[in-house]
Amino acid sequence: MNRVLLNNVDHADLRVIAGHGVAYGDALNQVLVLPTEFEAVQREYPILIRKDAAGAWQAVALLGLDRDENLFLDETGWNARYVPAVQRRGPFSIALQRDERGAEPRPMIHVDLDHPRVSRDEGERLFLPAGGNSPYLQGINQALGQIHDGLEISGPMFAFFEELGLIEPIDIEIKLGDQTSYDLPDVFTLAPDRLAAITGEDLERLHQSGLLRAAHWIISSMGNIEELVARKTRKQAHLA
């Protein structure tokens, strides 16, 4: 990794390949998603809750059933109306850094020059000839903002869900027509009945914080498992 602060002088001619494919790290069966994008994510993917390596709650979009399987990815790219921000960001990240005036650290965009998407010859330009941000870089800014803000919200959101007793384990067993079955271990969701039973101050807190909508989006996203199974079935039929 060769991560440096992005600027329009050193990186005036830098380009980024914007498409999606196995070579760019898109072959994965689940990806981190954040509260700032739940509304868009729940239209396409099941949102599951699980614990990361440090034991903290996180939300992931389920993309496939086998290891390294993204059922939304084929030779033409990523076929969905929405691509999660973590995958859209490509070689870019946000890090806190002081500017030349030495003020308080603020989020600054960094780019990994060793990333397979980075090129000098092909792809999307980052900067306009006059030095301004290109439309592509403006889109990256938006994705990074979703990630930055979402990470800030995620911890308190799950703490509140846990306080209300909403997080519950779920057994997901998927059987395909060829007798193949998949069990998804160590995954959780939110309990619809417990959410519906919340009243009074707790309900008001959920509503005012915007987390009531987030909870409903997580629950409603589970309906996308059926579409994921359909994609898997079509893929198997194509390979047969």
Side-chain angles (χ1 to χ4, degrees), residues 144-195:
L144 291 174
Q146 282 183 302
I147 294 169
H148 183 264
D149 294 343
L151 288 171
E152 299 242 323
I153 298 168
S154 190
M157 177 188 74
F158 282 118
F160 192 21
F161 288 164
E162 196 166 27
E163 176 189 334
L164 296 176
L166 293 177
I167 302 175
E168 66 174 6
I170 183 172
D171 292 323
I172 299 177
E173 183 178 355
I174 296 170
K175 292 184 178 180
L176 301 181
D178 61 358
Q179 305 307 310
T180 303
S181 64
Y182 295 90
D183 292 311
L184 303 182
D186 305 320
V187 292
F188 300 77
T189 187
L190 300 182
D193 53 340
R194 294 181 201 163
L195 180 62

Side-chain angles (χ1 to χ4, degrees), residues 1-7 10-11 14 91-95 97 108-114 120:
M1 186 175 290
N2 181 16
R3 188 176 293 163
V4 298
L5 180 65
L6 183 69
N7 66 84
D10 298 326
H11 308 125
L14 205 65
F92 302 97
S93 58
I94 284 182
Q97 187 163 326
M108 309 280 276
I109 297 181
H110 288 63
V111 59
D112 176 11
L113 297 177
D114 291 340
R120 299 281 179 179

Side-chain angles (χ1 to χ4, degrees), residues 3 10 16 18 101 112 119 124 139 151 183 190 200 217 222 239:
R3 188 176 293 163
D10 298 326
V16 171
R101 297 186 298 275
D112 176 11
S119 172
E124 301 286 341
L151 288 171
D183 292 311
L190 300 182
W217 287 329
M222 298 302 290
L239 295 175

Side-chain angles (χ1 to χ4, degrees), residues 34-143:
L34 298 154
T36 42
E37 57 182 339
F38 280 180
E39 183 176 10
V41 171
Q42 59 91 27
R43 297 191 184 108
E44 296 283 324
Y45 316 99
I47 300 174
L48 303 177
I49 300 169
R50 59 187 322 162
K51 290 189 174 182
D52 64 15
W57 294 112
Q58 62 178 196
V60 297
L62 186 64
L63 308 176
L65 301 177
D66 284 308
R67 183 180 178 87
D68 301 328
E69 177 184 61
N70 183 345
L71 291 168
F72 298 86
L73 191 69
D74 61 23
E75 63 277 358
T76 67
W78 192 307
N79 291 296
R81 290 169 295 178
Y82 181 81
V83 177
V86 166
Q87 293 305 114
R88 293 205 320 275
R89 71 176 177 178
F92 302 97
S93 58
I94 284 182
L96 293 176
Q97 187 163 326
R98 285 185 171 83
D99 59 22
E100 61 274 8
R101 297 186 298 275
E104 283 296 309
R106 61 190 184 95
M108 309 280 276
I109 297 181
H110 288 63
V111 59
D112 176 11
L113 297 177
D114 291 340
H115 195 280
R117 289 186 183 275
V118 172
S119 172
R120 299 281 179 179
D121 309 310
E122 61 176 317
E124 301 286 341
R125 289 188 175 276
L126 300 182
F127 298 103
L128 302 174
N133 291 352
S134 70
Y136 172 73
L137 187 54
Q138 291 173 12
I140 292 298
N141 266 319
Q142 181 185 34

Side-chain angles (χ1 to χ4, degrees), residues 196-211:
I198 294 174
T199 58
E201 183 181 339
D202 288 336
L203 181 60
E204 182 65 18
R205 288 169 63 200
L206 269 175
H207 177 67
Q208 291 296 332
S209 64
L211 297 183

